[in-house]
């Protein structure tokens, strides 16, 4: 036996054996009985069936094994002794029922029999493992030889980008289904790779679509083919064919490739793309790898619908003659209170990242009429909820010469028309169907629920405040309660007429109840608030009183106040959180999935 652990175990055992004569009598308290004697010269190993351990024991009296088999194995015995293990070791065993009496006794005849059986089984298992190991090593070696040979052969296989096969039209993947029967030239990323003996199936991705490509013959015998990995970029030429009856592929077509090459080989082995993001990858690692996650089908789909959504809103605004403007992000005034402002140093002065472009939109009304913007807003939210971001895309509109009812009708109309447009678009509707199969387009008119009736609803339905108490008029309806109510009602709700004290300085009071406002939140199932809007104070004195009530210094707002000085009008507007709207439409658990690179408390990378 060449195992380096053997001498130390044996040494210990022999050491123990030599001490045994002296200690056995004392320890076992059988002095003078003469019926237990360590056999001269044999190592002694201790086994305590209750307190010993086969994994950490050494066989010394203070560190016994749990079984005789482990004790025997520990001396790395030669097979000759298997039939008579007590010929090479003296096994001293303490039974569970003798712990109290601290008695070690020599292995009994029946236990020895059992041990011999155990040794037999162990040897068989060892032999099988050895055989298996040899087989695996042999197979590995054969595979390596085959690979080396294939590599050698592959060096001689050169594909020719041959124009004599006909012109290969360079095209993006989205138009491939319209080119059946033509030869095309494509570039993209290897989204999926299924190498088989005679074919490689590749799903190619270029950001516009996916296309299945089939490589055969010399195309799978090149060095590039041997090395190809998922997420590599490749270029290829080939014929566009319809897939055979009964088979499916994106767009119903596949490319029969006649030439291809790797453009950028993606990392393989331990660093391979597939290994970096798995279903069970920790969320914080997922967030670190957002740049890779964006290549996945779900993230791509969400981003695609996001783009379609913004396009649809722009289209509907254009149809209503609402003009797009781009207000500044760096500001020196707050819109929604100081607690969520991100402050920064602006050439020695205090400035903030904008919370809302509303005030600037209001100032554009006299020149452009109705206006909107799609702009990033920033909120230093201290909460890590699934619907709060620190930076989000804020779609805001401001409409002039309107009444509160017009504002509600406008918001409702925009939402319904945009949803209709997305459902009419084949790409978006397919994604909505896949990600949110239960989606039901909202029915007009939306339910309009007065804040005071909502408080009554919460109490009637036993939806309490966080502290378990009932809601009273004047309470802010917390996120959890709001969501419970919306999920129960299970359709979009326009929650209107919030108390003045809960809302911002600029909101117009209700004529009939001056403590309440002409304000609206649109709530949708699964998410809660997606839109917040209101009519604005048009009267100069009332606005000045609003600043005062909220403790806001009026000087920095001079440009906003001036709107009431130079031709005031009734007007109102709203802000829609694009990520929240998407989370509702696509049934995403959190708004974080709906932003390209989401920012939330503690996260501003990548
Ligand atoms: O209700 P909010 O705070 O309203 C305003 O900012 C108004 N000045 C808008 C206006 O009238 N022009 O925000 C409007 C919407 C919310 O309904 C919500 O959808 C979204 O913006 N929102 C957020 N989305 C993600 N993360 C956050 N931290 C958000 N805060 C608000």
């Amino acid at each position: 036996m060449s195992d380096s652990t053997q001498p130390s175990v044996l040494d210990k055992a022999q050491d123990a054996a030599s001490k045994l004569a002296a200690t056995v009598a004392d320890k076992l308290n059988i002095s003078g009985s003469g019926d237990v004697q360590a056999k001269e010269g044999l190592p002694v190993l201790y086994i305590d069936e209750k307190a010993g351990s086969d994994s950490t024991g050494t066989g010394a009296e203070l560190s016994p094994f749990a079984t005789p088999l482990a004790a025997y194995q520990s001396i790395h015995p030669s097979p000759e002794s298997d039939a008579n293990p007590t010929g090479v070791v003296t096994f001293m065993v303490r039974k569970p029922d003798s712990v109290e009496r601290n008695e070690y006794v020599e292995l009994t005849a029946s236990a020895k029999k059992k041990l011999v059986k155990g040794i037999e089984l162990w040897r068989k298992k060892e032999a099988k493992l050895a055989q298996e190991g040899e087989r695996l090593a042999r197979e590995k070696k054969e595979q390596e030889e085959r690979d080396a040979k294939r590599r050698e052969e592959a060096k001689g296989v050169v594909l020719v980008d041959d124009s004599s096969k006909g012109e290969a039209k360079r095209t993006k993947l989205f138009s491939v289904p319209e080119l059946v029967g033509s030869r095309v030239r494509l570039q993209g990323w290897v989204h999926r790779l299924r190498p088989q003996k005679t074919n490689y199936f590749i799903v190619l991705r270029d950001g516009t679509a996916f296309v299945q490509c089939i490589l055969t013959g010399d195309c799978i015998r090149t060095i590039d083919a041997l090395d190809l990995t998922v997420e590599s970029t490749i270029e290829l030429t080939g014929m566009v064919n319809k897939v055979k009856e009964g088979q499916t592929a994106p767009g119903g077509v596949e490319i029969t490739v006649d030439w291809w090459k790797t453009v950028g080989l993606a990392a393989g082995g331990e660093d391979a793309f597939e290994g970096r993001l798995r279903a069970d990858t920790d969320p914080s690692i997922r967030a670190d790898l957002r740049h890779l996650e964006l290549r996945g089908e779900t993230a791509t789909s969400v981003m695609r619908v996001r783009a379609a959504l913004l396009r649809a809103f722009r289209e509907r605004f254009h149809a209503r003659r609402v003009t797009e403007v781009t207000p500044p992000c760096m500001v020196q005034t707050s819109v929604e209170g100081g607690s969520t402002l991100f402050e920064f140093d602006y050439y020695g002065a205090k400035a903030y990242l904008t919370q809302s472009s509303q005030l600037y939109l209001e100032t554009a009304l006299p020149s452009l009429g109705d206006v909107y913007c799609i702009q990033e807003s920033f909120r230093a939210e201290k909460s890590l909820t699934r619907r709060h971001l620190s930076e989000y895309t804020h779609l805001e509109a401001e409409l002039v010469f309107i009444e509160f009812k017009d504002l509600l009708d406008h918001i409702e109309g925009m939402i319904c028309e945009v949803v209709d447009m997305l459902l009419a678009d084949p790409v978006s509707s397919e994604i909505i169907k896949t990600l949110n199969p239960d989606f039901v387009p909202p029915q007009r008119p939306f339910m309009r629920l007065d804040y005071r009736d909502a408080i009554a609803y919460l109490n009637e339905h036993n939806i309490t405040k966080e502290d378990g108490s009932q809601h009273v008029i004047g309470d802010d309806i917390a996120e959890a309660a709001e969501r419970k109510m919306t999920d129960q009602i299970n359709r979009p709700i326009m929650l209107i007429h919030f108390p003045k004290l809960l809302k911002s300085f600029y909101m117009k009071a209700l004529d009939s109840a001056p403590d309440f406002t002409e304000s609206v939140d649109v709530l949708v199932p699964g998410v809660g608030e997606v839109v917040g809007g209101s009519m604005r104070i048009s009267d100069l004195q009332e606005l000045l009183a609003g600043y005062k009530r909220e403790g806001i210094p009026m000087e920095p707002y001079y440009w906003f106040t001036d709107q009431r000085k130079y031709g005031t009008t009734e007007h109102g507007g709203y802000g829609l959180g694009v990520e929240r709207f998407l989370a509702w439409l696509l049934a995403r658990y959190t708004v974080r999935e709906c932003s390209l690179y989401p920012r939330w408390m503690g996260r501003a990378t990548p």
Side-chain angles (χ1 to χ4, degrees):
M1 285 283 159
S2 60
D3 194 313
S4 62
T5 60
Q6 186 189 353
S8 72
V9 172
L10 276 177
D11 285 352
K12 273 186 202 160
Q14 272 159 356
D15 202 29
S18 63
K19 285 183 194 148
L20 187 68
T23 56
V24 149
D26 288 350
K27 297 268 179 204
L28 306 186
N29 197 20
I30 49 172
S31 170
S33 68
D35 49 357
V36 174
Q37 292 279 320
K39 285 185 205 90
E40 199 63 41
L42 284 191
V44 177
L45 291 176
Y46 287 87
I47 295 114
D48 185 327
E49 290 183 358
K50 190 174 178 196
S53 163
D54 285 348
S55 54
T56 60
T58 64
E61 191 178 351
L62 291 178
S63 176
F65 287 110
T67 64
L69 180 61
Y72 183 64
Q73 288 167 339
S74 77
I75 65 161
H76 301 276
S78 82
E80 287 90 74
S81 56
D82 287 357
N84 183 26
T86 50
V88 290
V89 175
T90 299
F91 297 90
M92 297 302 294
V93 182
R94 182 154 67 177
K95 292 271 174 207
D97 58 6
S98 62
V99 174
E100 291 296 297
R101 286 176 286 135
N102 207 20
E103 227 172 71
Y104 274 105
V105 292
E106 232 184 308
L107 200 67
T108 61
S110 66
K112 179 182 165 186
K113 235 177 174 174
K114 205 171 142 200
L115 172 60
V116 171
K117 267 232 161 75
I119 293 172
E120 231 174 82
L121 281 176
W122 165 58
R123 289 289 189 201
K124 270 191 193 150
K125 235 191 234 163
E126 292 277 286
K128 213 167 155 196
L129 279 177
Q131 261 179 7
E132 184 71 0
E134 276 167 26
R135 187 180 64 78
L136 288 176
R138 198 172 51 243
E139 281 178 8
K140 189 167 169 236
K141 192 158 166 261
E142 285 167 3
Q143 185 61 43
E144 279 167 4
E145 283 166 5
R146 272 199 303 273
D147 287 350
K149 194 162 161 241
R150 272 180 83 187
R151 237 184 146 69
E152 234 5 79
E153 286 168 5
K155 281 183 192 159
V157 182
V158 178
L159 302 176
V160 181
D161 185 5
D162 188 359
S163 58
S164 70
K165 288 178 188 144
E167 197 215 348
K169 188 172 177 261
R170 184 178 291 276
T171 180
K172 295 266 186 193
L173 300 191
F174 76 92
S175 58
V176 167
E178 292 144 29
L179 295 169
V180 172
S182 324
R183 197 158 167 262
V184 290
R185 180 179 295 274
L186 308 177
Q187 288 171 311
W189 287 264
V190 176
H191 187 66
R192 280 201 216 115
L193 173 63
R194 194 151 49 89
Q196 295 181 340
K197 237 189 168 120
T198 54
N199 289 321
Y200 274 23
F201 286 92
I202 290 176
V203 174
L204 196 66
R205 182 187 82 232
D206 76 345
T208 71
F210 298 98
V211 167
Q212 176 162 289
C213 306
I214 297 171
L215 277 59
T216 52
D218 276 357
C219 282
I220 63 168
R221 296 200 188 98
T222 60
I223 290 281
D224 277 359
L226 296 183
D227 291 342
L228 191 60
T229 47
V230 167
E231 289 304 312
S232 294
T233 32
I234 61 172
E235 182 176 338
L236 60 85
T237 57
M239 287 297 288
V240 184
N241 298 314
K242 275 204 156 107
V243 287
K244 292 189 196 86
E245 233 5 78
Q247 290 181 357
T248 55
V253 292
E254 61 192 15
I255 309 289
T256 308
V257 176
D258 54 45
W259 169 89
W260 77 280
K261 69 170 184 182
T262 296
V263 177
L265 185 68
E270 281 186 3
D271 220 10
F273 185 85
E274 304 95 301
R276 305 220 35 206
L277 275 173
R278 297 172 184 279
D280 59 352
T281 299
D282 185 81
S284 77
I285 296 175
R286 287 202 102 77
D288 286 342
L289 298 181
R290 179 68 179 162
H291 59 298
L292 299 184
E293 179 147 72
L294 282 172
R295 300 182 183 204
E297 282 166 37
T298 303
T300 302
S301 296
V302 174
M303 288 307 123
R304 216 180 277 297
V305 174
R306 187 185 157 103
L309 176 88
L310 296 178
R311 208 166 57 237
F313 267 112
R314 284 198 161 97
E315 210 282 323
R316 294 325 299 157
F317 277 131
H318 182 66
R320 286 175 160 81
R321 295 190 173 248
V322 185
T323 303
E324 183 167 9
V325 292
T326 46
C329 281
M330 295 191 284
V331 299
Q332 291 189 305
T333 46
S334 100
V335 188
E336 300 299 327
S339 69
T340 59
L341 277 178
F342 277 111
E343 188 182 310
F344 65 97
D345 178 84
Y346 191 73
Y347 305 105
K350 263 190 199 172
Y352 315 102
L353 295 176
T354 189
Q355 295 169 311
S356 159
S357 299
Q358 176 197 323
L359 308 191
Y360 292 96
L361 290 184
E362 289 186 50
T363 68
L365 293 176
S367 62
L368 294 168
D370 298 344
V371 282
Y372 77 96
C373 68
I374 299 177
Q375 184 88 295
E376 296 297 277
S377 276
F378 303 85
R379 304 278 170 109
E381 302 283 1
K382 298 279 179 342
S383 52
L384 288 166
T385 79
R386 58 191 172 106
R387 67 178 200 184
H388 283 99
L389 293 166
S390 306
E391 174 179 352
Y392 70 98
T393 303
H394 204 171
L395 184 147
E396 295 181 271
E398 205 60 33
L399 311 170
V400 71
F401 302 120
I402 58 161
E403 293 177 4
F404 187 45
K405 182 183 174 304
D406 302 324
L407 176 67
L408 299 185
D409 290 346
H410 166 95
I411 295 172
E412 188 181 275
M414 285 295 288
I415 291 177
C416 292
E417 287 165 30
V418 163
V419 168
D420 286 348
M421 276 185 79
L422 293 174
L423 291 176
D425 174 77
V427 175
S428 299
S429 70
E430 190 57 40
I431 294 173
I432 295 170
K433 224 185 284 160
T434 307
L435 296 183
N436 190 5
D438 299 329
F439 180 71
V440 183
Q443 297 302 306
R444 297 167 81 165
F446 289 1
M447 176 183 189
R448 292 177 188 188
L449 182 64
D450 190 282
Y451 163 85
R452 288 157 288 188
D453 295 332
I455 294 291
Y457 178 99
L458 294 173
N459 291 335
E460 278 159 23
H461 291 80
N462 222 7
I463 302 174
T464 59
K465 295 204 271 190
E466 270 159 25
D467 63 7
S469 63
Q470 292 242 310
H471 286 88
V472 293
I473 302 281
D475 281 343
D476 203 0
I477 301 174
E479 183 176 331
E482 178 192 278
R483 210 167 35 221
K484 235 184 214 168
M485 177 180 78
T486 313
D487 289 353
Q488 273 179 12
I489 294 172
N490 200 24
R491 51 184 279 222
I493 303 166
M494 287 185 141
L495 186 55
I496 55 176
H497 301 158
F498 286 89
K500 198 185 223 170
L501 289 178
L502 291 182
K503 290 291 183 182
S504 296
F505 69 92
Y506 54 74
M507 284 195 190
K508 186 173 156 69
L510 266 180
D511 283 342
S512 56
D515 288 341
F516 296 87
T517 53
E518 290 191 329
S519 53
V520 56
D521 279 1
V522 179
L523 315 178
V524 293
V527 177
E529 182 197 333
V530 290
V531 174
S534 74
M535 292 301 288
R536 324 302 191 188
I537 293 173
S538 57
D539 179 74
L540 179 62
Q541 294 312 318
E542 208 179 322
L543 179 65
L544 297 181
Y547 292 137
K548 206 164 169 193
R549 186 187 74 230
E550 298 297 322
I552 297 171
M554 54 187 259
E555 296 74 27
Y557 291 82
Y558 72 92
W559 50 274
F560 180 70
T561 313
D562 270 359
Q563 304 311 307
R564 280 76 187 165
K565 222 162 128 185
Y566 299 102
T568 194
T569 69
E570 292 305 321
H571 66 287
Y574 60 94
L576 176 146
V578 169
E579 292 79 8
R580 289 193 187 178
F581 196 85
L582 276 168
W584 165 63
L585 189 65
L586 300 178
R588 296 298 86 201
Y589 177 72
T590 155
V591 289
R592 294 176 191 177
E593 287 184 64
C594 303
S595 166
L596 191 69
Y597 283 100
R599 268 81 180 96
W600 64 87
M601 189 167 73
R603 158 102 26 207
T605 58

